[in-house]
Amino acid sequence: MDRNTVKKFEKAYLATSFLEHIYIDNDFRLVKSQREATQRPSYTIAVRKR
């Protein structure tokens, strides 16, 4: 791997993730995650199949 790729992996490896459950019920879950304070948050929506 080149030096830039190694730096990216090191940064991701050492990061501590932040997960916030915004909404939870029996069929639906909305989670906000953010790896770094400077990173924009991402949102995950999970729906339970029946």
Side-chain angles (χ1 to χ4, degrees):
M1 286 191 268
D2 64 5
R3 188 178 304 250
N4 288 335
T5 304
V6 171
K7 280 186 175 182
K8 287 178 186 177
F9 278 116
E10 286 176 347
K11 189 174 184 180
Y13 176 75
L14 296 174
T16 46
S17 298
F18 171 76
L19 295 173
E20 178 183 358
H21 288 87
I22 296 175
Y23 181 81
I24 298 174
D25 69 11
N26 290 333
D27 299 318
F28 182 82
R29 179 176 293 189
L30 179 60
V31 179
K32 175 182 167 185
S33 62
Q34 195 169 8
R35 190 175 61 206
E36 300 173 359
T38 58
Q39 180 188 37
R40 289 188 321 177
S42 68
Y43 296 89
T44 302
I45 298 170
V47 179
R48 182 175 293 187
K49 291 175 99 175
R50 297 212 174 214

